[in-house]
């Protein structure tokens, strides 16, 4: 487990940057073992990325399933550029924004299937852990992009260079946003 001050992040998974164009080509050819390997190498990074955008575990799980379905059905459309993880993140980000539009349309039309008590409800197992509550509150202080960078770095184990590629940001920007975000988190934890 990665320990960052009072923040606890799970151990980083196998290196998701080991995903290469050849693996995605195998997926494009319908190789289920290759797809399973791709999933195992990227699932934690992709989930962290999605959760940093939608901020709701149930929506994140739904978007994650849609993301991997899209990867499976669209792998043949991937153009080898040496950045399959960035391609997967792009799919995930687009599906997150589609989810937001869908929720907005439902709210605009008045199809509120959820009663007020369930809106924004988080998984009870997560709510029970005090450390996770502190971490969630601390992460809420960050801007969306800062939160994505921190989660991708500390939860998924990506390097700053890989995060910069995945988010299509300059490396210097990723480094400064990461450092600024960590200072905000440290200050918040000192005050708590």
């Amino acid at each position: 487990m990665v320990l960052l001050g009072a923040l606890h992040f799970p151990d980083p998974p196998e290196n998701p940057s080991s995903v290469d164009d050849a693996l995605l080509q195998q997926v494009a050819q319908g190789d289920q073992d290759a797809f399973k390997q791709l999933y195992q190498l990227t699932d934690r990074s992709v989930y962290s990325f999605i959760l940093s955008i939608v901020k709701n575990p149930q929506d994140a799980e739904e978007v994650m399933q849609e993301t991997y379905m899209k990867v499976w059905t669209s792998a043949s459309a991937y153009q080898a550029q040496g950045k399959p993880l960035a391609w997967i993140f792009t799919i995930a980000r687009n599906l997150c924004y589609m989810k937001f539009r869908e929720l907005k349309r439902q709210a605009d039309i008045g199809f509120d299937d959820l009663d007020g008590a369930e809106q924004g409800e988080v998984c009870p197992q997560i709510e029970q852990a005090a450390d996770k509550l502190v971490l969630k509150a601390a992460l809420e202080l960050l801007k969306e992009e800062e939160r994505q960078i921190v989660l991708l770095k500390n939860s998924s184990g990506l390097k700053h260079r890989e995060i910069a590629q995945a988010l299509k940001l300059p490396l210097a920007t990723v480094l400064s946003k990461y450092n600024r975000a960590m200072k905000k988190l440290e200050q918040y934890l000192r005050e708590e």
Side-chain angles (χ1 to χ4, degrees), residues 49-97:
F49 177 71
I50 293 169
L51 186 60
S52 75
I53 296 172
V54 299
K55 300 177 185 80
N56 177 314
Q58 289 131 347
D59 289 341
E61 289 173 14
E62 185 179 321
V63 171
M64 184 158 163
Q65 287 179 349
E66 292 173 16
T67 298
Y68 282 100
M69 290 293 292
K70 185 81 169 171
V71 167
W72 176 252
T73 59
S74 302
S76 61
Y78 173 73
Q79 296 177 2
Q81 302 170 18
K83 301 178 183 178
L85 190 59
W87 180 73
I88 295 170
F89 282 163
T90 301
I91 291 171
R93 181 177 28 236
N94 291 342
L95 289 171
C96 286
Y97 294 142

Side-chain angles (χ1 to χ4, degrees), residues 9 31 39 44 55 70-72 91 105 113 119 136 145 166 185 188:
F9 292 96
D31 184 336
Y39 179 82
R44 290 175 68 179
K55 300 177 185 80
K70 185 81 169 171
V71 167
W72 176 252
I91 291 171
R105 260 194 314 272
D113 293 335
Q119 290 181 353
K136 182 180 176 196
E145 209 167 62
L185 292 175
Y188 172 81

Side-chain angles (χ1 to χ4, degrees), residues 55-58 118 120-127 136:
K55 300 177 185 80
N56 177 314
Q58 289 131 347
E118 290 179 341
E121 188 174 283
V122 183
C123 180
Q125 293 86 349
I126 293 174
E127 290 295 312
K136 182 180 176 196

Side-chain angles (χ1 to χ4, degrees), residues 101-122:
R101 285 191 292 271
E102 173 189 321
L103 292 173
K104 184 179 181 330
R105 260 194 314 272
Q106 287 178 353
D108 288 346
I109 297 172
F111 289 125
D112 269 345
D113 293 335
L114 302 174
D115 63 28
E118 290 179 341
Q119 290 181 353
E121 188 174 283
V122 183

Side-chain angles (χ1 to χ4, degrees), residues 49 52 143-155 158 160 163-164 167 169 173-179 181:
F49 177 71
S52 75
K143 295 178 183 171
E144 180 178 335
E145 209 167 62
E146 291 172 336
R147 185 172 36 257
Q148 289 174 355
I149 291 168
V150 167
L151 288 172
L152 289 171
K153 174 73 175 140
N154 294 302
S155 180
L158 293 178
H160 292 291
I163 296 169
L167 297 179
L169 294 171
T173 302
V174 169
L175 289 169
S176 67
K177 287 183 184 257
Y178 179 77
N179 288 330

